[in-house]
Amino acid sequence: MIDIEFFILCFSSLFALINPIGNIPIFITLTDSYTQKERNKIALKSIIFSFIVLVIFAVIGELIFSFYGITIHAFRIAGGILFIRLGINMVEAKASRTKTTPKEENEADSKDEIAFTPIGMPIIAGPGAITSVMILYADAQNSIQSLSLIISILVCMIITCTIFIATDSIINRFGMIGLRITQRIMGLILMVIAIEFIVDGAMPIMKEVLA
């Protein structure tokens, strides 16, 4: 049993942040010298690694908040600001600097294993996705909603892996223009979610100040 409404919120937020469609050009560039079989293996390894990273950060998020004395409201506002930046980059069809840098992409060619970094982290499990799962896990009201978040992470990872494996077919079918259009739409959705995060974080703080 899962909370459908909470699952949709978690899935839509994560899918927009991970942005697997927008990351297709980066994935192709990083794996250009590999065979299709090697690409598939890299995609699977990176997805498993990213899933583990996101689940760990989701579960220990409360511990991090308490250790540093951070309120969930302040973290939600900071996350919303980060999401807006990512969303603007997506709308403008730019590669976000919070995900990977040109230097990291160039150095990746000399690595024997790129599934963990930079593909697994920070391209898939980037700062935005990590922030999102920490906030959403803290927002979960019960174990069913917590499970819904974990399942949404798993579903996002499966879809991302499928997209990475089928990169050539997707590009042949939709072309780079189609991918850019989809990326812009996802960026707009992400900015709307970001505004909601900021409002939800600011309202309790304002009520405490005015009380």
Side-chain angles (χ1 to χ4, degrees):
M1 294 294 293
I2 64 171
D3 186 320
I4 299 298
E5 184 177 348
F6 192 71
F7 171 83
I8 293 174
L9 170 64
C10 296
F11 174 79
S12 59
S13 301
L14 280 174
F15 190 79
L17 283 164
I18 295 171
N19 187 24
I21 296 176
N23 284 328
I24 286 178
I26 299 175
F27 181 77
I28 291 177
T29 301
L30 293 175
T31 60
D32 183 56
S33 59
Y34 294 90
T35 65
Q36 184 61 49
K37 184 177 180 179
E38 290 172 331
R39 276 187 183 182
N40 295 348
K41 188 176 180 181
I42 289 171
L44 183 59
K45 280 186 177 181
S46 64
I47 290 304
I48 294 173
F49 175 70
S50 300
F51 175 76
I52 294 172
V53 168
L54 292 176
V55 170
I56 289 175
F57 273 100
V59 173
I60 69 172
E62 297 254 1
L63 181 62
I64 295 174
F65 292 153
S66 60
F67 182 80
Y68 288 102
I70 302 171
T71 65
I72 184 62
H73 306 309
F75 200 79
R76 189 178 284 112
I77 293 172
I81 294 171
L82 174 62
F83 298 165
I84 287 178
R85 181 186 175 189
L86 292 171
I88 292 173
N89 287 337
M90 290 167 66
V91 169
E92 295 178 350
K94 294 179 180 179
S96 173
R97 293 285 78 82
T98 62
K99 281 182 167 273
T100 184
T101 64
K103 182 180 179 181
E104 287 174 326
E105 292 180 20
N106 292 333
E107 290 178 347
D109 292 333
S110 62
K111 294 181 180 179
D112 293 329
E113 186 56 78
I114 61 172
F116 304 117
T117 179
I119 296 178
M121 187 177 183
I123 292 176
I124 299 175
I130 291 173
T131 301
S132 179
V133 296
M134 291 173 67
I135 293 174
L136 291 169
Y137 194 86
D139 284 345
Q141 301 296 317
N142 48 55
S143 59
I144 293 178
Q145 288 192 345
S146 298
L147 178 62
S148 300
L149 170 60
I150 302 301
I151 294 175
S152 71
I153 296 174
L154 178 61
V155 172
C156 282
M157 294 297 101
I158 292 173
I159 294 175
T160 301
C161 186
T162 303
I163 289 174
F164 281 177
I165 290 174
T167 49
D168 292 336
S169 299
I170 293 174
I171 290 179
N172 291 335
R173 182 178 293 271
F174 297 102
M176 292 305 297
I177 294 178
L179 295 179
R180 294 303 185 194
I181 292 173
T182 304
Q183 182 177 358
R184 287 185 170 96
I185 294 173
M186 295 305 298
L188 181 61
I189 293 174
L190 180 58
M191 284 193 288
V192 173
I193 295 173
I195 296 298
E196 190 68 31
F197 271 43
I198 293 174
V199 171
D200 289 346
M203 289 300 292
I205 296 177
M206 291 178 63
K207 288 179 180 179
E208 290 180 6
V209 171
L210 297 176

